[in-house]
Amino acid sequence: MLVRWQHPEKGVLQPGAFLQVADKIGATKAIDRRVLEMAGEAVHRLESQGFGIPKFSVNVSLNRMLEDDVLKSIDALPTTDAQLTFEILESDFLDDPSEALLWRLDQLREAGVGLEVDDFGSGRASVIALKLLNPDRLKIDKGLILPITEESAMKSLVASIVEMGRALGIAITAEGVETALHADVAAELGIDTLQGYYFSKPVSERDLARQTMAA
């Protein structure tokens, strides 16, 4: 699930336009909490209309992840067949994961929550930290994916990330797949999941249901 701000004057704003302000005023945890609730409710509604949804993902900040009530929030979600997955930013988590974080991740796994590292390659992750976190999936940042059709060095770099993922038993997603050529090169490199505008731009719950039924 993607978060956007419907600004009364500026229209739809991307997270980069408001998340830093949210951090400064202490609103990030409340946003994370509400996004999780909205995502669970949306999946429940779509399933009630006959849509099969294998999983739904939400981004979660470090502060929210460590809050005492995060597990209760998960338990309070409507019952669905879809797996809940938390996406965490490499820059927030992979520099020096604390014992408190590792303990919380173990609790989340026991609750059936998946774990994915978002925007991988944009931060400063160490392989040791990555092994400690043991995520289900790495989502390679689009800044690394976009150049792979033209720059052999970037293609080789992405290939090395794929190989590292295989060695650690971690699945790989390519973000920022914008053309058929991007999709072909990413598939050639062995990336198992592709994500980007080539397949679809972000759509609302209502538009998703309408487009799926029309198809």
Side-chain angles (χ1 to χ4, degrees):
M1 182 173 182
L2 300 178
V3 178
R4 301 291 184 264
W5 179 16
Q6 185 67 53
H7 192 280
E9 298 177 355
K10 299 180 180 180
V12 179
L13 298 181
Q14 301 286 330
F18 59 84
L19 282 185
Q20 287 188 345
V21 176
D23 283 336
K24 288 181 180 179
I25 65 175
T28 305
K29 291 187 290 186
I31 292 174
D32 285 350
R33 187 181 300 110
R34 182 56 184 147
V35 168
L36 177 60
E37 293 171 354
M38 293 175 67
E41 291 165 359
V43 170
H44 181 71
R45 284 192 297 269
L46 289 168
E47 286 187 340
S48 68
Q49 297 173 50
F51 294 96
I53 300 176
K55 76 171 185 177
F56 65 106
S57 303
V58 295
N59 286 96
V60 182
S61 63
L62 176 59
N63 289 336
R64 174 58 182 153
M65 182 81 79
L66 295 177
E67 278 194 315
D68 292 337
D69 72 334
V70 67
L71 294 171
K72 291 182 179 179
S73 294
I74 294 170
D75 289 339
L77 294 175
T79 301
T80 73
D81 293 328
Q83 182 193 27
L84 169 62
T85 297
F86 279 177
E87 294 188 8
I88 59 177
L89 287 176
E90 175 193 12
S91 56
D92 284 346
F93 291 85
L94 290 182
D95 186 24
D96 184 20
S98 65
E99 289 296 324
L101 172 60
L102 296 177
W103 178 66
R104 177 52 49 83
L105 293 179
D106 284 341
Q107 289 182 309
L108 291 170
R109 290 189 182 95
E110 290 178 4
V113 179
L115 176 65
E116 300 183 356
V117 176
D118 198 15
D119 296 341
F120 185 79
S122 63
R124 53 184 186 275
S126 72
V127 177
I128 292 176
L130 187 62
K131 190 174 185 300
L132 284 173
L133 286 181
N134 189 30
D136 301 298
R137 180 174 296 274
L138 299 179
K139 301 182 71 174
I140 303 177
D141 186 79
K142 65 180 181 180
L144 299 181
I145 295 298
L146 289 175
I148 64 174
T149 58
E150 298 178 354
E151 300 178 24
S152 59
M154 294 303 291
K155 181 178 177 181
S156 296
L157 177 59
V158 171
S160 68
I161 294 175
V162 175
E163 288 301 315
M164 179 183 67
R166 286 175 179 163
L168 295 173
I170 303 172
I172 303 292
T173 291
E175 298 180 315
V177 177
E178 296 192 348
T179 66
L181 184 56
H182 278 116
D184 289 342
V185 174
E188 173 192 330
L189 293 175
I191 298 175
D192 58 283
T193 304
L194 311 181
Q195 173 185 316
Y197 285 3
Y198 174 63
F199 303 101
S200 175
K201 291 186 177 181
V203 297
S204 66
E205 176 189 345
R206 179 181 300 176
D207 289 339
L208 174 64
R210 184 184 298 119
Q211 291 174 12
T212 304
M213 292 180 69

